[in-house]
Amino acid sequence: MADTKREIERKFEFRTTKAGRRGVPDLTGTAAIAAVTDQGTAELDAVYYDTPDQRLASDGLTLRRRTGGKDAGWHLKLPVAPGVRDEITAPLGDTVPDELTALLRSRVRDTPLEPQVRLLSSRKVSHLLDADGALLAELSTDAVVAERADTTAAWTEVEVELADGADPALLDAVEKTFHKAGLRVSDAPSKLARALTETGAQPPARPGPGPAGDTAGAHVLSYLREQRDTLIAQDPAVRRGLPDSVHQMRVATRRLRSAFKTYRRILDPAETGPLGEELRWLATALGVDRDQEVLMERIRTGLDDLPRTLVLGPVRGRLKVWNTTRRSGSRRAALAALDSRRYVALLDALDALLADPPLRKAAGRPATTALPAAVLGDYERLTGRIEAALATDPGQGRDLALHEARKAAKRARYAAEAAAPALGKPARRLANAVKAVQTLLGDHRDGVVAREALRGLAVQAAGAGESAFTWGVLYAREEALAERRERELPHLWAAAAGPAGAVRG
């Protein structure tokens, strides 16, 4: 079974040979450090694995098999933020553990993981303690030798890793003390990155952020790459059950699919259409779990807002059982999709499309002249659906019409956001205005779904001989909220007219 630890650290190196001979300064008295205790020296032997084209290293991930020291085993490190990584460990074995392989699937797919470089480290460890003897951080001084094929490299590295719950400001204080003693923050984000660079195997550079040019095609492709990268990066987070990960991954699939439709005059729809359908499949598979999560939170919030006198019977217990039953099945379905051959084929198809995009003639036009028409086309589509919904009598028909308007609002928002790097403030203002409409319509839709669920819970409660009163109160509350959202819509929609006019020019 794999274990996870949040790793917050900072790496340093000596600026000069003279500073290296002086060694690491005494940190006693720096910030809250009251004592520095020697923990001895460990001999570490780590073999780092990657694909032959170094996909993990390119994305800042490291996978190693390490012996020696107190944490021998397999270690997978996933970047969270600069200087922050999640380290996932599994017991030592001859092959990469299945639980770690699954977390790498979106990047590795069917490509084998092979040894790339070996690092031998003689690690001197000290503990940094506060006045009460509590551990603040671990200080390591590593004499490292990197071996790759017939090439070797050697260096000394100093690392300070915070203990759980320690104040990150401690690293800033240590950095100031180290700076005076001739140490600087290392340029390399990890030992592996430095080893690859110094042995002549630096991973290929990833495309930089932003478009590689001012054409419409360059801007659209930049946006698509960003969403593809988000989809891949969220995969391990979904597998780990991290908060909001399913939502972020599903949004990336929706943005990709939406862009294919919005920018069909830039990318050939004959090529993007089948891929869009596969993205729809993935979004649906992920959506079951996410939709249940949102629904549960809405019902629970409504229940928490009720006075105790209106909560009759084992309401919370029934809600918990209902949610657990539905979530267990929905999560299995989402993970099954991520483990399928169909998913890998989708990722490969996305890569192939971005490597050799099916650009149409309009892709060569300046972005500032080609993109507004696409954005406004989606806005006009939204206009038609909003007007149709407002003209429909209240009831199930209007609920369905508003649901269709919500989907159109989402597409119009995504279109404006994709164009914002080229069109600037007008597109951003339109995206924000349409987002407000989408949020209102999304809340209305969530209320419709919640009413259906509440009716079902009431039927279950009545069938079990329980009071259905509280479920009815919550149902009535959702009806009132829906009516309020419908009254607010015309005013909110009118506010989008100005930003749309600015994009139109």
Side-chain angles (χ1 to χ4, degrees):
M1 179 64 69
D3 296 317
T4 301
K5 179 181 182 298
R6 177 61 54 89
E7 179 184 84
I8 304 176
E9 64 182 17
R10 200 164 296 177
K11 297 179 182 296
F12 302 88
E13 58 187 69
F14 294 100
R15 291 199 300 266
T16 63
T17 303
K18 182 178 180 181
R21 287 197 298 267
R22 287 199 303 265
V24 178
D26 183 7
L27 291 172
T28 304
T30 298
I33 301 171
V36 180
T37 61
D38 184 13
Q39 301 296 308
T41 301
E43 302 300 324
L44 309 177
D45 186 344
V47 177
Y48 286 77
Y49 286 69
D50 205 337
T51 59
D53 55 357
Q54 297 180 315
R55 298 179 194 176
L56 302 186
S58 294
D59 281 354
L61 282 72
T62 61
L63 173 67
R64 71 188 178 201
R65 181 186 185 275
R66 190 165 78 181
T67 58
K70 61 184 181 181
D71 61 346
W74 286 92
H75 305 159
L76 171 63
K77 297 191 179 186
L78 302 170
V80 176
V84 182
R85 295 186 292 181
D86 278 348
E87 183 179 62
I88 304 169
T89 61
L92 197 63
D94 293 335
T95 59
V96 183
D98 291 343
E99 55 264 47
L100 300 188
T101 301
L103 298 177
L104 298 173
R105 193 161 193 251
S106 64
R107 291 178 169 89
V108 173
R109 301 169 205 172
D110 295 325
T111 305
L113 289 164
E114 301 173 350
Q116 300 297 319
V117 65
R118 182 184 185 190
L119 297 185
L120 302 171
S121 302
S122 182
R123 169 169 289 184
K124 180 181 178 182
V125 180
S126 297
H127 282 175
L128 309 181
L129 310 177
D130 67 11
D132 296 324
L135 180 65
L136 294 173
E138 185 171 273
L139 168 67
S140 303
T141 303
D142 294 342
V144 184
V145 176
E147 299 177 350
R148 187 185 65 82
D150 296 328
T151 306
T152 63
W155 69 89
T156 297
E157 178 178 288
V158 180
E159 176 183 297
V160 180
E161 181 179 342
L162 293 181
D164 292 342
D167 185 356
L170 177 68
L171 294 177
D172 295 330
V174 169
E175 182 179 338
K176 290 181 181 179
T177 300
F178 277 0
H179 181 76
K180 295 176 182 177
L183 287 93
R184 64 179 178 86
V185 176
S186 176
D187 293 330
S190 66
K191 285 185 177 65
L192 175 63
R194 181 165 183 173
L196 291 174
T197 298
E198 297 205 6
T199 59
Q202 190 170 3
R206 292 181 58 81
D214 292 327
T215 64
H219 277 267
V220 171
L221 290 174
S222 175
Y223 179 78
L224 294 176
R225 280 194 298 270
E226 180 184 344
Q227 304 313 315
R228 185 273 315 270
D229 292 347
T230 298
L231 192 157
I232 290 173
Q234 288 298 325
D235 176 293
V238 170
R239 295 176 187 273
R240 295 168 60 198
L242 297 186
D244 204 40
S245 57
V246 171
H247 173 62
Q248 294 300 326
M249 190 174 188
R250 187 165 63 152
V251 166
T253 66
R254 285 174 167 173
R255 289 180 187 274
L256 284 164
R257 184 165 168 262
S258 181
F260 290 158
K261 292 181 177 180
T262 297
Y263 298 109
R264 57 191 177 277
R265 293 185 179 179
I266 294 172
L267 290 170
D268 186 353
E271 298 291 332
T272 60
L275 191 50
E277 288 305 305
E278 290 303 284
L279 289 165
R280 181 208 288 270
W281 159 76
L282 180 58
T284 300
L286 294 170
V288 176
D289 191 57
R290 170 62 180 172
D291 290 345
Q292 178 61 26
E293 179 184 12
V294 171
L295 177 58
M296 175 61 179
E297 183 60 29
R298 186 180 185 95
I299 295 176
R300 183 165 48 202
T301 299
L303 185 58
D304 290 343
D305 290 341
L306 290 182
R308 291 185 179 181
T309 55
L310 298 183
V311 181
L312 305 182
V315 175
R316 295 187 187 278
R318 176 164 295 281
L319 182 61
K320 182 178 180 180
V321 171
W322 171 82
N323 182 63
T324 300
T325 301
R326 292 167 65 100
R327 284 297 297 276
S328 61
S330 62
R331 176 158 175 78
R332 284 197 301 271
L335 293 179
L338 298 185
D339 287 336
S340 68
R341 294 293 310 167
R342 186 176 182 178
Y343 172 62
V344 171
L346 166 59
L347 296 180
D348 287 343
L350 278 172
D351 287 348
L353 181 136
L354 291 170
D356 186 18
L359 298 174
R360 305 183 74 183
K361 185 176 181 180
R365 295 173 57 197
T368 51
T369 59
L371 299 187
V375 173
L376 291 171
D378 281 349
Y379 175 79
E380 294 302 329
R381 177 172 172 268
L382 170 60
T383 298
R385 293 198 181 183
I386 291 283
E387 292 176 349
L390 293 176
T392 304
D393 292 335
Q396 187 177 18
R398 176 179 281 190
D399 290 342
L400 291 174
L402 289 172
H403 179 43
E404 292 302 312
R406 180 188 68 86
K407 291 188 286 187
K410 188 177 298 183
R411 178 165 152 183
R413 169 195 167 190
Y414 292 163
E417 289 175 344
L423 306 185
K425 187 175 180 179
R428 288 192 293 270
R429 289 183 60 219
L430 179 59
N432 290 335
V434 175
K435 180 182 178 181
V437 173
Q438 175 199 333
T439 299
L440 182 146
L441 293 172
D443 187 71
H444 184 277
R445 179 60 184 173
D446 289 346
V448 171
V449 174
R451 293 205 304 272
E452 295 174 358
L454 290 166
R455 184 182 182 281
L457 284 162
V459 170
Q460 292 177 17
E466 302 165 5
S467 171
F469 174 80
T470 300
W471 305 116
V473 171
L474 291 172
Y475 187 100
R477 177 180 181 271
E478 289 293 353
E479 278 191 321
L481 286 172
E483 292 173 0
R484 183 189 307 170
R485 296 293 175 260
E486 291 176 28
R487 291 195 302 269
E488 294 170 345
L489 178 58
H491 174 74
L492 200 60
W493 172 239
V503 171
R504 187 175 285 108

